[in-house]
Amino acid sequence: MKVTDLYIPTLREVPADARLVSHRLLLRGGFIRMVCAGVFSYLPLGLRVLRKIENIVREEMNRAGAIEVLLPALSPGDLWKQTGRWWSFQPPPLKLKDGAGRDFLLGPTHEEIMTDLAAQDLRSYRQLPFTLYQIQAKFRDELRPRGGLIRAREFIMKDAYSFDADRASLDRSYQAMYDGYVRIFERLSLPTVICEASAGSMGGHDTKEFMLVCDEGEDTLFLCDKCDYTANAECAQSHRPEPTHVKDQLGERDLVETPNARTVEEVCELLGATPDQLVKTLLFVADGKYVAALIRGDRELNETKLAGHLAATELRMANESEIEEVTGAPLGFTGPVGLPTHVRIVADHDIAAMHDFVVGANQADAHFVAVDVGQDFEVAEYADIRIAMEGDPCPRCEDGLLMTKRGIELAHVFKLGQKYAEDLGCVFADEEGKEVVTTMGCYGVGVSRIMSALVEQYADENGIRWPLAAAPYEATILLLDNEPDLAAIADRLCADLVAAGFEAVIDDRDERPGVKFKDADLVGYPLRLVIGKRTKGEGTVEVRRRKDQEERVVPVAEVVAAARELAAGA
RNA sequence: CGGGGCGUGGCGCAGUUUGGUUAGCGCGUUAGACUGGGGGUCUAAAGGCCGCCGGUUCGAGUCCGGCCGCCCCGACCA
């Protein structure tokens, strides 16, 4: 293949709007173009990379026993209304109406359609288990698309769904996918960490995310510095603090005036206290009931954890009028002392270790000081409801501390259970002829996101350094002088390489050598062969590995062997 | 959705504060010449509803209003 027959529009200058390395290099290297914010076209090289990634994913899915299908991106609103996610999915999907006013959405995920599909044909336990997958465009109505391919509104994803008769069978299906994912990332040379996660809008459990640790990542990971505990920010556990001894002499609770001091900072400044001496009381509405969440003043509440603890399907912060109604005080002065008894109090573990603290007084412009649990109010429930912080003790091992890193989520696996199957009537007859609801799992891989993750992981100052498995072409032959003898050598070499199983191109453009070298580095071919004056003079060809500049200068006849040797380490 | 920035040939930018001939520069493109191992040089040329709509004015890229788009920070989140 000749570069002059391809479409590789490289850019010398960096488009001003691209900030991330991956976005810039994919643009400059002629892999992608932006259509509008978060929507991209794939050019020939980008498409080739995408196909490489897809095929690795496909091969590993097939190896794991999954079966490929293709579902529509356009999804009828009715199915989503049956599961309730028409209203509850966060962020809201891209919804649209057809000419007759019927509701549709562009699928951000396919539990509904896939479950409905299975429900139509599933009759007997004998048909189970099976796992279906597809590789297809997904849509998200991102509030703010950014970072090129990393957070797009339209993106390519592989999603698989397993259907099993029971939990034990689901566990096996899940494990097969999990193992497949480990293989996928090994083949792609992406060193992922597998972290505990929460299922968010999907619902489910045993959620794991495969993350690439990367400073440009949008997710925060918590990793233990001693053991292998890894979790995302939403579900990293906060270790229970050592309870401090109860003081012999408890101070008397005292009401102090705190005019206009609504925030922790304002109260601290006024009272000369530090945030860790305050208890914040946050009022929530969980499935229609009031809940007061107590958090140490210098900590932040984790709504996911709170919702999990309450087993609430809908959780939101109370608004100002609800706060006034329940506490009798405006926003900013809520406290646990004297709350109506119907308000359920949930305190973070930190609270158990606190004494002599400050709380809102449930009256305007006032706080209580010298407050203690047991003395001034009761806490029936302690739970881990705060966001983990760097330096927290590891919840898993004895003396580890949690540290944070940034990461890009590349894949996730989780067990859905029976929710979707139940809502959509995906049932089968068991051995005794009884109707049983199918047990499901869901497994996603961000195919297009992997493309940019690879660039983030492997770029250097000159361009991309694709791993062999994902490179658009494995080798480029730079024909520095287009005279017939050398061109003939290039043609033959290219044919030899192809015969040896390499995907190779010849850069036969009428460009100066410098341009070809720069472009070769930018596009990131793992192997670069140079045919130029040395070939003419000494009959040798330079074969160089992009990754580490390792180079062999060999006679034409030995080029394929040298390429093989260098490719082995690419 | 809040805060900030930007929108001028394909790309990167200047010009806008202080309205006034023909809107510049670099890169790229086209033609030619020289050149030929890390984005070379010279000559000539093409290419612009200055994001859109409206307003002020004798006159608007420049001032005013509205809208649209893009980027960054935040909020939200797989």
Side-chain angles (χ1 to χ4, degrees):
Chain A
M1 185 59 79
K2 291 188 162 62
V3 166
T4 49
D5 294 329
L6 289 170
Y7 186 74
I8 311 177
T10 55
L11 266 30
R12 174 182 293 208
E13 297 195 61
V14 187
D17 289 340
R19 212 147 276 272
L20 286 189
V21 174
S22 57
H23 193 190
R24 290 176 171 212
L25 291 179
L26 289 173
L27 243 25
R28 285 191 57 210
F31 293 86
I32 59 171
R33 288 291 182 262
M34 190 179 89
V35 177
C36 62
V39 180
F40 295 88
S41 296
Y42 294 91
L43 276 46
L45 290 188
L47 182 60
R48 288 184 68 94
V49 173
L50 206 60
R51 292 282 186 252
K52 292 275 181 87
I53 299 167
E54 276 179 19
N55 282 334
I56 288 174
V57 170
R58 181 174 284 120
E59 285 171 19
E60 294 305 329
M61 284 296 103
N62 295 344
R63 183 202 302 271
I67 307 156
E68 186 167 9
V69 294
L70 183 59
L71 273 32
L74 190 67
S75 187
D78 281 350
L79 279 178
W80 286 69
K81 288 172 186 172
Q82 281 182 53
T83 60
R85 294 207 298 179
W86 178 260
W87 302 280
S88 68
F89 196 91
Q90 289 299 327
L94 242 165
K95 296 175 183 172
L96 48 132
K97 283 185 190 294
D98 71 2
R102 283 179 291 250
D103 284 325
F104 288 87
L105 58 76
L106 290 173
T109 177
H110 281 73
E111 281 81 5
E112 277 79 0
I113 299 191
M114 193 69 92
T115 308
D116 181 60
L117 177 75
Q120 290 177 39
D121 300 298
L122 183 60
R123 299 281 176 273
S124 158
Y125 73 96
R126 292 169 193 273
Q127 294 167 273
L128 297 172
F130 58 87
T131 297
L132 302 178
Y133 76 96
Q134 62 168 344
I135 298 172
Q136 179 233 29
K138 295 272 190 276
F139 298 85
R140 258 182 211 160
D141 196 6
E142 288 289 352
L143 300 169
R144 187 186 153 205
R146 61 187 122 179
L149 251 37
I150 290 182
R151 190 188 187 87
R153 290 200 290 187
E154 175 176 339
F155 52 99
I156 309 293
M157 192 160 155
K158 185 284 303 180
D159 50 325
Y161 305 84
S162 62
F163 296 85
D164 289 278
D166 54 37
R167 287 303 304 261
S169 178
L170 168 62
D171 289 347
R172 288 190 292 275
S173 298
Y174 174 94
Q175 193 60 41
M177 287 294 114
Y178 184 104
D179 294 344
Y181 280 19
V182 171
R183 294 183 58 98
I184 287 168
F185 292 114
E186 271 173 19
R187 289 181 62 181
L188 288 168
S189 309
L190 278 173
T192 51
V193 299
I194 300 169
C195 78
E196 295 185 10
S198 58
S201 295
M202 307 296 178
H205 52 280
D206 276 7
T207 301
K208 303 274 190 204
E209 291 176 340
F210 289 67
M211 313 277 305
L212 177 69
V213 173
C214 164
D215 290 339
E216 299 299 336
E218 294 201 290
D219 296 296
T220 303
L221 303 181
F222 286 84
L223 301 95
C224 176
D225 62 356
K226 294 283 194 321
C227 74
D228 62 356
Y229 178 78
T230 311
N232 77 6
E234 277 167 15
C235 68
Q237 295 164 33
S238 314
H239 202 58
R240 295 164 189 233
E242 295 300 314
T244 54
H245 293 289
V246 178
K247 289 187 298 185
D248 297 335
Q249 281 296 109
L250 292 175
E252 278 292 295
R253 180 175 88 212
D254 198 11
L255 184 70
V256 295
E257 299 217 349
T258 50
N260 281 321
R262 291 158 196 276
T263 66
V264 169
E265 292 72 39
E266 288 163 358
V267 174
C268 284
E269 194 171 331
L270 206 68
L271 301 179
T274 52
D276 61 358
Q277 296 172 298
L278 263 66
V279 169
K280 282 193 284 199
T281 305
L282 304 171
L283 196 64
F284 283 85
V285 181
D287 296 332
K289 293 185 180 139
Y290 286 111
V291 174
L294 271 47
I295 293 285
R296 206 168 87 182
D298 57 340
R299 297 291 143 101
E300 283 193 65
L301 185 103
N302 181 326
E303 284 192 39
T304 305
K305 288 183 180 177
L306 180 61
H309 173 76
L310 297 171
T313 50
E314 198 204 324
L315 180 73
R316 63 173 176 85
M317 291 197 84
N319 60 39
E320 282 194 47
S321 62
E322 288 168 332
I323 290 172
E324 292 212 31
E325 182 194 322
V326 171
T327 70
L331 177 69
F333 301 97
T334 308
V337 181
L339 279 177
T341 49
H342 69 269
V343 178
R344 180 173 170 186
I345 294 180
V346 180
D348 185 72
H349 291 305
D350 283 337
I351 308 300
M354 293 176 70
H355 291 285
D356 189 17
F357 47 80
V358 180
V359 298
N362 292 327
Q363 48 183 290
D365 299 331
H367 280 74
F368 286 125
V369 299
V371 172
D372 277 283
V373 178
Q375 176 101 338
D376 303 290
F377 67 98
E378 297 298 332
V379 172
E381 299 172 65
Y382 284 101
D384 173 20
I385 55 170
R386 72 169 171 89
I387 292 175
M389 293 179 71
E390 192 153 40
D392 277 352
C394 174
R396 177 82 45 85
C397 69
E398 278 302 308
D399 53 354
L401 295 178
L402 295 183
M403 38 178 208
T404 60
K405 289 202 167 148
R406 304 292 286 175
I408 303 173
E409 182 195 340
L410 298 181
H412 62 216
V413 293
F414 53 93
K415 299 175 181 171
L416 290 172
Q418 298 181 314
K419 172 184 164 39
Y420 297 96
E422 192 156 341
D423 289 343
L424 296 164
C426 186
V427 297
F428 62 93
D430 69 5
E431 293 91 325
E432 291 154 17
K434 279 201 327 228
E435 186 174 272
V436 177
V437 176
T438 312
T439 300
M440 294 175 59
C442 169
Y443 319 92
V445 174
V447 173
S448 50
R449 186 179 271 188
I450 284 174
M451 182 162 148
S452 46
L454 281 166
V455 180
E456 290 292 337
Q457 180 73 193
Y458 288 110
D460 65 13
E461 61 282 3
N462 296 314
I464 305 172
R465 294 181 294 178
W466 295 109
L468 207 62
Y473 289 92
E474 292 159 329
T476 181
I477 300 167
L478 303 192
L479 182 58
L480 298 189
D481 184 342
N482 214 344
E483 72 170 64
D485 294 359
L486 293 178
I489 293 175
D491 286 342
R492 214 183 66 225
L493 262 185
C494 188
D496 289 349
L497 284 169
V498 169
F502 286 99
E503 296 168 344
V505 293
I506 302 171
D507 191 347
D508 60 333
R509 293 176 298 169
D510 181 23
E511 289 286 357
R512 297 180 60 84
V515 174
K516 297 189 181 189
F517 284 119
K518 289 289 188 191
D519 271 357
D521 286 348
L522 175 62
V523 170
Y525 308 93
L527 296 177
R528 185 189 79 191
L529 290 70
V530 179
I531 294 182
K533 66 183 180 203
R534 271 192 182 171
T535 317
K536 192 153 51 169
E538 310 159 18
T540 58
V541 175
E542 290 154 41
V543 186
R544 183 191 281 228
R545 186 159 63 200
R546 172 76 173 89
K547 186 170 87 175
D548 53 7
Q549 312 289 293
E550 182 73 15
E551 187 174 88
R552 305 272 187 279
V553 181
V554 298
V556 172
E558 295 170 25
V559 164
V560 171
R564 276 214 182 94
E565 186 195 337
L566 288 172

